[in-house]
């Protein structure tokens, strides 16, 4: 496996990876509208915002199997992982860890101090993975107040944080 910068001829495969990530979010939230009608276009918007030089891909046997990106964070010294996706059939093989390690080295070379990742609360697999690869400092916690009728909400009982129970 090789981790390298994204090339122009990788863009279609990167869009497909982004769609895989969006479909996973649709599945875990049982919300088919996430990402709109064409989630690949969201990748294009993301790419326009951060630049191809801040996207890295994992290539295995001539096929892109993973992608990681870097975008600005809250302050000058902080940057954020976005996106991080590995094809379902390639998960558990070390590709995600290798992508994160590559990104951490790039972040250090760029002179940033803090690297953060936003993981949706319901994605326990991603939370465990992020912790396992070193994201073990609790930073910002984003909480939602869902004003829709209770029977229309997509949240389910989830996690305890600071002694309080949260839906995810």
């Amino acid at each position: 496996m090789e981790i390298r910068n994204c090339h122009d001829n990788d863009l279609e495969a990167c869009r497909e990876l982004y769609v895989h990530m969006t479909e996973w979010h649709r599945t875990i939230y049982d919300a088919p509208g996430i990402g709109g009608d064409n989630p690949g276009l969201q990748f294009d918007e993301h790419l326009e915002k951060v630049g191809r030089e801040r996207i890295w891909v994992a290539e295995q046997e001539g096929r892109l199997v993973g992608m990681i990106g870097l975008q600005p964070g809250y302050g000058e010294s902080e940057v954020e992982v976005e996106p991080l996706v590995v094809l379902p059939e390639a998960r558990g093989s070390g590709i995600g860890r290798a992508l994160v390690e590559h990104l951490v080295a790039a972040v250090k070379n760029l002179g940033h101090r803090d690297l953060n990742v936003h993981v949706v609360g319901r994605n326990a697999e991603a939370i465990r993975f992020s912790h396992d690869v070193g994201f073990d400092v609790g930073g910002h916690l984003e909480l939602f107040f869902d004003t829709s009728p209770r029977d229309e909400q997509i949240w389910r009982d989830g996690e305890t944080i600071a002694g309080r129970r949260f839906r995810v």
Side-chain angles (χ1 to χ4, degrees):
M1 178 200 43
E2 175 190 9
I3 297 178
R4 58 173 174 74
N5 280 95
C6 177
H7 301 145
D8 285 339
N9 59 349
D10 295 327
L11 295 180
E12 188 57 39
C14 288
R15 281 184 204 96
E16 290 174 22
L17 286 163
Y18 203 87
V19 168
H20 277 286
M21 180 182 68
T22 302
E23 288 172 352
W24 173 242
H25 290 160
R26 289 175 175 180
T27 299
I28 63 175
Y29 279 107
D30 192 24
I34 291 175
D37 293 334
N38 186 348
L41 292 179
Q42 285 189 340
F43 172 74
D44 293 342
E45 292 169 8
H46 177 75
L47 187 65
E48 187 175 315
K49 182 172 76 173
V50 302
R52 192 172 39 79
E53 69 279 0
R54 291 195 169 225
I55 302 287
W56 293 266
V57 296
E59 183 177 0
Q60 191 171 50
E61 298 175 6
R63 180 177 181 220
L64 294 191
V65 293
M67 171 176 66
I68 195 166
L70 185 64
Q71 69 180 15
Y74 293 109
E76 285 186 31
S77 69
E78 187 175 316
V79 288
E80 178 182 324
V81 176
E82 180 60 34
L84 172 55
V85 59
V86 174
L87 288 175
E89 62 269 20
R91 291 182 188 150
S93 64
I95 293 168
R97 178 177 292 277
L99 284 164
V100 169
E101 289 171 355
H102 187 88
L103 188 66
V104 167
V107 165
K108 287 179 182 178
N109 286 337
L110 291 168
H112 298 289
R113 186 184 129 204
D114 297 315
L115 175 62
N116 70 51
V117 62
H118 290 145
V119 183
V120 294
R122 191 175 286 185
N123 196 344
E125 179 183 337
I127 292 169
R128 284 189 293 274
F129 169 81
S130 297
H131 188 269
D132 289 349
V133 298
F135 291 92
D136 61 359
V137 176
H140 308 276
L141 178 62
E142 184 176 41
L143 302 174
F144 300 146
F145 191 106
D146 191 337
T147 62
S148 62
R150 192 70 142 172
D151 63 341
E152 294 177 14
Q153 295 181 10
I154 61 173
W155 313 105
R156 62 180 185 227
D157 189 44
E159 303 294 329
T160 300
I161 303 170
R164 301 292 189 266
R165 196 76 182 153
F166 290 89
R167 296 176 294 147
V168 294

